Amino acid sequence: MKVLVTGFTGKVGSQVAKFLRSKDIPMVCGVRNVEKARDSLGDEYEYVELDFAEPSTFEGALEQVDRIFLMYTPGADLQFDIFLEMAKDKDIKHISYLSLKDVQFMPFIHHYKMEKLIKSSNIPYTFVRAGYFMQNLNDFLCKEIKERQRIFVPAGKGKTSFVETRDLAEISVLSLINTEIHKNKTYVITGNEALDFYDVAKIMTDVLNKKIEYTNPSVKEFKSVKKKLGEDEEFVNVVVGVHMPTKLGLAKGIKHDYEKVTGKKPTNIRKYVGDFKGKLDLENITT
């Protein structure tokens, strides 16, 4: 058994690699630039060149692996159909694909199309459909939290089902190890509570002992502020799109698949904020 881990430099892929390593399962991490990855991340993991826009990298990445943790990576001219055809030819035994909660209702997004591609390949799969990442708090939301002590995102008053990426990684790894149990299954992974960003701000205030507010900007206000700050317009539009289901009240659904598979409760956001307090680096924010 050997696993190809894609999306290794992202939130979930890196955690998948950590879980695999903790279980002494052989793996190789697909990256666009092996030298750059080795220089920045060290020799802790084995790397192989993999660029989904360059089919010439596919054969080498699929050599001597029999299972894949697959993520949709940003980019143009991505050739996932060719990659999956080659994976089938290489007799890949299982794909664990990181998808999106409620994707079945969103045929216009890439995850919907990817699930169809994987199914049509006839490679056994597990779809891990994710709720809203808790890690966003110490990613693209973190700058506003640190500099202005506010959660600034156009999500309205809607609730969302936050999920910890370590929980997503755990389910993905279990599906890769126990392929027969998880063959052609779909799991929707969320936390066990739906919260709005007012709730999140209160939890952060309590845990961090710093006043954090959710200002609930309109989409127009959010875009205007980000434009003045010189942020990339395309990325700003992505952020708006990510939060639109929450704003419309469509993201609050809770599923219990994590507990059914692992026998454990999913991580709650209070624990997450406590665990990542150092990485959030909020001890030094001013009030």
Side-chain angles (χ1 to χ4, degrees), residues 7 16 101 104 108 116 148 157 168 208 215 220-221 227 240 243 262:
V16 167
K101 179 178 173 288
Q104 68 272 28
F108 49 87
K116 288 191 70 176
R148 297 175 180 84
K157 298 179 180 179
L168 295 169
L208 301 173
T215 57
K220 182 178 179 180
E221 180 188 357
K227 183 177 181 180
V240 170
H243 294 88
T262 67

Side-chain angles (χ1 to χ4, degrees), residues 143-160:
K143 189 172 187 292
E144 287 282 351
I145 294 171
K146 289 171 65 175
E147 294 181 359
R148 297 175 180 84
Q149 297 83 62
R150 68 180 184 180
I151 299 174
F152 187 72
V153 69
K157 298 179 180 179
K159 294 181 181 293
T160 193

